[in-house]
Amino acid sequence: MTSRIAQFISIFLFVVLFSCQDKEKQNSEVEIFPPEEKKDELREERPMSRSYLLARMRENGELSAFTEQFRKAGLEEEFEGKEGLFTIFAPSNAAYDRIPAKKINSGEESGIEENMKDDLRYYVVEGQLTVDNLLQKIRASENGRYEFRTALGEKLWATQEGDKVVLIDVLGNKAAIVTSKMEKDSGVYHVIDNVLRSGDNAAEGGS
């Protein structure tokens, strides 16, 4: 009887000891973030500011002319204040180089800032339009042209020429999408190879 009790006590102590060791092992495997690392992790999970897309565009050397016009027109604050995703079709520096400087800066020189804003709003579309989205909509359209409206309220058309997506403005000017970049929680921007014109620029003619 005494040997059985001793055996039972030995088994009980072994189980208790094993359980404590296992618990200590589990606790040692729990990942503990230092306060600063935890803050960084939480910060990365927050949605990006609307101005983040513009900040990324400013880092693109091909778009310095466009982003500078955006800044001069005072559109950055307006853009940041809006909610939702955006698509921007931005002419490259090479595209602006083909346009006389007088035409590009005409709104600024005459003091009509709103004209500059309207010119640039024509390149902005609410919502996220990737190249794949555009191709799908082009192929689903009846005449191979997908029609959509910009933030200016005027129409743009997208069509496919070879392996490229080409935009057509209200005056018939064309601009092909050269490269695209999608930014998480901000939208997408496309670098295009020509300057487009809204209907308000009809008197100036095509580029």
Side-chain angles (χ1 to χ4, degrees):
M1 186 70 175
T2 302
S3 62
R4 287 185 178 181
I5 292 174
Q7 186 179 10
F8 175 78
I9 292 173
S10 298
I11 294 173
F12 176 77
L13 291 174
F14 175 78
V15 171
V16 170
L17 179 62
F18 180 80
S19 176
C20 291
Q21 289 177 344
D22 187 58
K23 186 174 182 180
E24 288 177 2
K25 183 180 179 182
Q26 288 178 359
N27 289 338
S28 66
E29 292 175 352
V30 174
E31 190 173 7
I32 301 175
F33 289 96
E36 287 304 315
E37 289 186 20
K38 191 65 178 177
K39 286 180 183 178
D40 291 340
E41 183 189 63
L42 292 173
R43 191 178 299 118
E44 290 175 0
E45 292 176 357
R46 294 172 184 167
M48 295 294 182
S49 166
R50 300 307 103 188
S51 61
Y52 180 73
L53 185 62
L54 288 177
R56 298 295 296 186
M57 290 174 67
R58 282 193 293 270
E59 295 173 1
N60 189 324
E62 291 184 279
L63 299 177
S64 58
F66 178 82
T67 53
E68 179 63 10
Q69 289 292 311
F70 218 90
R71 184 191 66 78
K72 287 181 178 178
L75 272 176
E76 289 187 345
E77 296 81 4
E78 178 182 310
F79 186 85
E80 184 175 1
K82 288 194 174 182
E83 297 179 354
L85 301 176
F86 288 86
T87 298
I88 299 180
F89 301 99
S92 64
N93 291 345
Y96 275 113
D97 286 343
R98 293 195 296 270
I99 307 298
K102 186 176 180 180
K103 280 190 178 182
I104 294 176
N105 298 315
S106 60
E108 181 184 9
E109 291 174 358
S110 61
I112 307 175
E113 186 178 278
E114 196 59 36
N115 285 353
M116 292 179 66
K117 286 185 177 182
D118 285 348
D119 289 344
L120 294 167
R121 286 188 184 107
Y122 193 54
Y123 295 106
V124 180
V125 179
E126 292 193 31
Q128 188 166 276
L129 285 175
T130 65
V131 169
D132 287 342
N133 294 149
L134 289 168
L135 286 172
Q136 289 175 6
K137 293 178 182 297
I138 290 167
R139 292 163 185 167
S141 64
E142 293 182 0
N143 58 358
R145 279 192 178 194
Y146 168 57
E147 178 183 298
F148 56 98
R149 289 190 179 274
T150 69
L152 182 58
E154 292 198 13
K155 296 177 181 177
L156 264 181
W157 291 267
T159 188
Q160 184 176 3
E161 294 185 7
D163 60 348
K164 292 185 177 180
V165 172
V166 175
L167 304 175
I168 306 173
D169 67 19
V170 293
L171 303 178
N173 299 311
K174 293 184 177 182
I177 293 178
V178 181
T179 58
S180 301
K181 179 68 175 178
M182 185 167 63
E183 300 295 344
K184 183 180 178 183
D185 299 326
S186 297
V188 58
Y189 71 84
H190 305 279
V191 179
I192 58 178
D193 65 359
N194 197 15
V195 174
L196 299 173
R197 299 292 186 183
S198 66
D200 290 338
N201 291 305
E204 297 181 10
S207 58

